[in-house]
Amino acid sequence: MTDYDVIVVGGGPAGSMAAHAAAEKGLKTIMLEKDRDIGYPVRCGEAVGDVALRQFMDPRPEWIAATITKIRMRSPNNTKIDFDSPGAGYILHRRIFDYALANRASQAGAEIQTRAYVDGLLFENDTVRGVKYQYMGEPRTLSAKLVIAADGVESRIGRMAGIRTAIKLRDLESGYQVTVGNIDIDQEMIDFYVGSNWAPGGYLWVFPKGDRMANIGLGVIGTRAKDYNSHDLIHDFLKEHYPKASMLTSVCGGVPIAQTLSQITANGIMLTGDAARMVNPVSGGGIVSGMHGGKIAGEVAAEAISTGDVSIKGLAEYPRRWRKAGGKSHEALHRISESIYDIDDDKLNKIAAKLEGVPEKDRSLLKIFTTVAREKPKILLDVTRAFTGF
Amino acid sequence: MILVKENRCDFCGTCVAVCPVDAIELREADISIVHATCIDCDICIWVCPIDVLSSDQKPEAKND
Ligand SMILES: Cc1cc2nc3c(=O)[nH]c(=O)nc-3n(C[C@H](O)[C@H](O)[C@H](O)COP(=O)(O)OP(=O)(O)OC[C@H]3O[C@@H](n4cnc5c(N)ncnc54)[C@H](O)[C@@H]3O)c2cc1C
Ligand code: SF4
Ligand code: SF4
């Protein structure tokens, strides 16, 4: 007998979806979160695509800070390319959203424990059989048939199970974001800056947060993070563009833009969300992909437990379904993201100039694609596409 | 040896994600380097967005 069927480590979107799926299938499930709060601090720009989100749930007004209908991309010389994108998506209040996801899992029967820091795994032979954790600093253990590691970018739980999760510098964005008040921006537009002046090997975003607020953040690619620091760049940017903005929140955060790990299971354990590197490697969006991964993990957990085989073999459906669901396009996006870093500022400006020639009313994605296609690099089409899907 | 300015840290885990030998222990509001494990590769210093980490060999690793 084990204490639980499934232990989920980490209470982000991936963890909550996994816990919900497992509990809904009747599994005795607990989710352990190290912080005192689910959903806080918010290390996220909070952008989600409408279509993507609706795969899992209909958006609710209380989660939504702003509704996005327009997208703006700026080249290094500040040429602005706008296009309408009605129904594109939302800027969430993730604090409320993550709470709602966890609450939904608990209503399906999952238990949840905060201030529970998992610092080890229990093994039986070579199979994971539970976790060691500290609840408010006091050591405890829990046994389970299966552990789902949804512990985010750090992904230490997987390492404890012998999976190599350490991320390469070229596969990580070192991020910093402020939520600011008192700025005048179009509250329906998300605004991206690319190029080396603000965002070496990444991009800077200005996302409306309702009520004259915005999330302004950027990621610097790990390979260039030795020379650039996202904190300093953001503060320079604010001085130049929004000198009257006041800082309401500031957070750091790493975005894994790697390919999904080649190994996302070991005997008795599955990795999901950021921990498995499921983020869209071009846009850096990982909310919905994490939800997707978590849901599949929870469902496969139920199947594996019912057959009594939680070995890598018994869990083989998990990587298979992830690949089928999004893993393949994920691999393509990763290849694209690798080539984006090679586009220099001149080329970005040139492409922007070409796009500027397309009348705004004709700036459908298709038009933009065909225009850019003439100028090559095909890559930028894919980038645009990746962003409009978030 | 890696030095930590603890009061500066945001506990975001970016450094943990890149550490090749899992030598960084991070809780809700508590960070420490396991010096016995650390191989002084310095990449955690580079990826930290707010310069919390430095090396006693190269204290000014960034922007120097
Ligand atoms: C600056 C920034 C901006 C971003 N902007 C966007 C965006 O606009 N849109 C988008 O879709 N994505 C964005 N992302 C990515 C997105 O935030 C993540 O992909 C998403 O949160 C992943 O969900 P997750 O559940 O896998 O992990 P997380 O949300 O990180 O949750 C992991 C949880 O596990 C907990 N945990 C970790 N270790 C342990 C342990 N040992 N024991 C117990 N609990 C543990 C953590 O405290 C955390 O709560 C951004 C990321 C960053 C850093
Ligand atoms: S990357 Fe920097 S801010 Fe984030 S946990 Fe590590 S030392 Fe702290
Ligand atoms: S210097 Fe290298 S080994 Fe040491 S803690 Fe930093 S990343 Fe890990």
Side-chain angles (χ1 to χ4, degrees), chain A residues 252, chain B residues 9-15 26 31 48-50 52-53:
Chain A
C252 298
Chain B
C9 182
D10 191 43
F11 314 107
C12 71
T14 308
C15 53
L26 177 70
I31 182 168
C48 175
I50 51 172
V52 170
L53 306 169

Side-chain angles (χ1 to χ4, degrees), chain A residues 10 12-14 33-34 43-47 94 116 118 150-151 273-274 285-287:
Chain A
E33 166 57 51
K34 74 174 162 54
R43 304 186 189 284
C44 186
E46 309 180 276
R94 263 199 70 184
V118 176
D151 55 325
D274 277 19
I287 300 172

Side-chain angles (χ1 to χ4, degrees), chain B residues 2 15 18-21 23-24 33 37-44:
Chain B
I2 299 296
C15 53
V18 296
C19 177
V21 293
I24 305 175
I33 308 288
T37 317
C38 172
I39 54 169
D40 286 302
C41 70
D42 287 356
I43 60 175
C44 55

Side-chain angles (χ1 to χ4, degrees), chain A residues 205-366:
Chain A
W205 63 87
V206 179
F207 291 169
K209 192 88 206 268
D211 202 14
R212 300 182 64 211
M213 296 186 288
N215 288 336
I216 303 183
L218 71 82
V220 171
I221 190 72
T223 42
R224 301 178 74 177
K226 190 178 177 187
D227 305 311
Y228 296 93
N229 143 331
S230 44
H231 165 273
D232 297 353
L233 287 165
I234 280 291
H235 285 276
D236 291 347
F237 176 83
L238 285 176
K239 249 186 249 154
E240 190 171 317
H241 290 258
Y242 300 105
K244 288 193 190 136
S246 56
M247 249 167 57
L248 306 178
T249 306
S250 62
V251 285
C252 298
V255 190
I257 51 166
Q259 220 171 308
T260 302
L261 296 173
S262 57
Q263 185 186 356
I264 55 173
T265 60
N267 296 328
I269 187 168
M270 289 184 265
L271 274 52
T272 196
D274 277 19
R277 314 311 184 203
M278 290 176 168
V279 171
N280 173 331
V282 172
S283 71
I287 300 172
V288 170
S289 56
M291 289 169 70
H292 206 156
K295 180 165 189 265
I296 300 172
E299 288 166 358
V300 173
E303 292 162 28
I305 287 171
S306 76
T307 64
D309 184 2
V310 297
S311 69
I312 292 187
K313 224 169 131 219
L315 299 174
E317 266 300 295
Y318 175 49
R320 205 186 65 77
R321 274 184 220 169
W322 164 251
R323 257 188 79 86
K324 196 159 170 244
K328 270 216 184 108
S329 70
H330 176 97
E331 284 163 25
L333 287 169
H334 185 255
R335 278 195 299 276
I336 295 165
S337 79
E338 290 194 318
S339 30
I340 295 173
Y341 310 142
D342 301 334
I343 308 183
D344 60 25
D345 286 1
D346 276 352
K347 193 155 236 165
L348 287 168
N349 287 332
K350 235 168 128 186
I351 294 166
K354 263 267 143 65
L355 285 178
E356 218 186 4
V358 182
E360 190 163 344
K361 64 176 172 42
D362 295 336
R363 274 183 207 158
S364 67
L365 275 184
L366 189 67

